[in-house]
Amino acid sequence: MSRWKNAAVLTVSALTALALTACGSGTDTPGESKQPSVLEQLASDLKGSLQKVVDKTGTTDSVTMAMEGTAAGEKIKMQGSLDLRDPVKAEMTMEGPDGAPTTIRMIGAVIYVEVPEADRADLDGKRWFKMDLSAASAQAGMDYTKQLEDVDPTKQVKTLLATEGTTVVGEETLNGVPTVHYTVTAPVATYLGQLEADARKTVEQELAKNGVKEVKIDLWVDEQYLPRRAHMVMGTMSDMKIDYTDYGKPVNIETPAASETADFAEMLKDLQGLTG
C-alpha cells in the first residue's frame, strides 16, 4: 500500500482515538506573571483547581499538538494544529511506517490526504485525496464531525472531576514548564458519561469488544490552569499521549481547492459504473 493511502487508513483509525484522548488548551497570556503559589493551589485544592481548568480551557480557539501512541493496533505519530472554531479544522503531519511524513487536513468530517508528487499521475495530477466520512459516520453510528468538535480540553478534566480517587502525583517540569500531574483510573461507565450521547453506544461496544473495563487518565496542568499533556490508556485497545503548546496562536487551515482534489466517493461511483 502506498504511503499516502496507508496514511488515509491510519487517519480514519486515529479519529476516534484523537477524540477519546482529547484534552486541549486555553490561551497563554504574554507577560502575565506566574505565582509559585499556583502550583501549590493546584496540588492542594484538587476539585477547585480542576474546575478552573474547565473554565479556562473552554475559551480557546486553537492549539498546537503532538500525539504519539497506538490505536486499533496501529502506531500513531502526528503533530500539527487544531482550529477549534466552527467548523473544527485540523492540519496534521503523520509519520508513516517508513518514517516519511504525510500531510493531512481534517475539515469537519472530511479528510484530505496530500498525495506525493510521484503518485499524482494516478489521480490525474490531483494534489489531494478527499474522503467524506459522513456516510461512514451513519454506518458506524458515530458522527465524525462531532468527534472533531469534541477535541476540547474539558472532556478529560470533567472525567477527573467526576471520578472518586483522582490524586495528585506531584509537581513536575514538562518541556521546561512547571506543572502539576494528576492521575485517576476511571470505570468505563464513568468515562462514558462524559461522551456525547450519539457516540456513547458505539464507544461502549468498542470498549467491551476489546475487554476494556477501566480507563487510566493522566493530566499535567501548568500555572495558567492550562493542560500541557494528556495520557490515556484503554487496556490494550489504545495508549495515547498528547502534548499541547502554542495556545491561542492564530492558525489558517484552508479547504483544498476542488480542482486539486480527487474525491474518493466519485472514484467509487466510476468503478461501480464500470462493473455495473
Side-chain angles (χ1 to χ4, degrees), residues 16 39 96 100 102 120 130 133 149 173 184-185 201 217 222 241:
T16 300
L39 290 177
T102 299
R120 292 177 190 175
K130 172 185 175 183
L133 298 182
E149 290 175 355
T173 299
V184 70
T185 299
K201 182 177 180 180
I217 301 172
D222 71 9
K241 180 191 74 175

Side-chain angles (χ1 to χ4, degrees), residues 4-241:
W4 65 272
K5 290 180 182 177
N6 188 61
V9 173
L10 289 178
T11 300
V12 175
S13 298
L15 266 176
T16 300
L18 178 62
L20 294 182
T21 58
C23 179
S25 59
T27 304
D28 285 329
T29 306
E32 183 175 318
S33 61
K34 296 182 178 180
Q35 301 296 325
S37 60
V38 173
L39 290 177
E40 297 176 359
Q41 185 173 357
L42 282 165
S44 61
D45 181 13
L46 190 150
K47 294 292 185 181
S49 295
L50 289 177
Q51 185 59 56
K52 287 183 179 180
V53 175
V54 171
D55 296 339
K56 180 73 178 287
T57 55
T59 63
T60 186
D61 285 334
S62 64
V63 62
T64 297
M65 57 166 279
M67 181 170 69
E68 185 172 6
T70 59
E74 298 283 355
K75 290 185 178 180
I76 305 292
K77 187 174 184 180
M78 61 173 69
Q79 58 185 5
S81 299
L82 298 175
D83 183 341
L84 297 173
R85 295 170 296 182
D86 188 20
V88 178
K89 303 175 183 178
E91 179 164 304
M92 312 296 296
T93 300
M94 173 178 283
E95 184 177 301
D98 59 355
T102 299
T103 298
I104 300 158
R105 292 182 187 174
M106 290 175 275
I107 314 293
V110 182
I111 295 175
Y112 297 86
V113 181
E114 188 172 27
V115 180
E117 286 190 35
D119 297 330
R120 292 177 190 175
D122 295 335
L123 297 174
D124 295 326
K126 307 292 187 181
R127 177 183 173 187
W128 297 92
F129 182 75
K130 172 185 175 183
M131 295 184 296
D132 189 333
L133 298 182
S134 298
S137 298
Q139 292 176 358
M142 180 182 295
D143 187 344
Y144 283 106
T145 301
K146 178 61 69 176
Q147 289 290 294
L148 281 181
E149 290 175 355
D150 282 343
V151 182
D152 69 57
T154 61
K155 184 181 294 180
Q156 289 204 54
V157 182
K158 287 181 177 178
T159 300
L160 293 177
L161 281 169
T163 307
E164 293 296 327
T166 298
T167 60
V168 176
V169 178
E171 295 183 17
E172 298 178 14
T173 299
L174 194 65
N175 298 324
V177 178
T179 69
V180 168
H181 177 187
Y182 301 95
T183 188
V184 70
T185 299
V188 164
T190 301
Y191 173 74
L192 291 171
Q194 310 309 313
L195 301 181
E196 293 289 333
D198 56 0
R200 193 174 301 139
K201 182 177 180 180
T202 302
V203 174
E204 183 177 13
Q205 291 173 344
E206 192 67 19
L207 294 176
K209 184 175 71 175
N210 286 275
V212 179
K213 301 184 181 303
E214 57 187 23
V215 178
K216 186 176 187 299
I217 301 172
D218 288 86
L219 184 69
W220 288 258
V221 177
D222 71 9
E223 294 171 293
Q224 304 295 322
Y225 294 99
L226 303 173
R228 289 287 180 166
R229 172 176 290 173
H231 183 203
M232 177 181 288
V233 179
M234 296 181 171
T236 59
M237 175 181 164
S238 68
D239 184 339
M240 303 297 300
K241 180 191 74 175

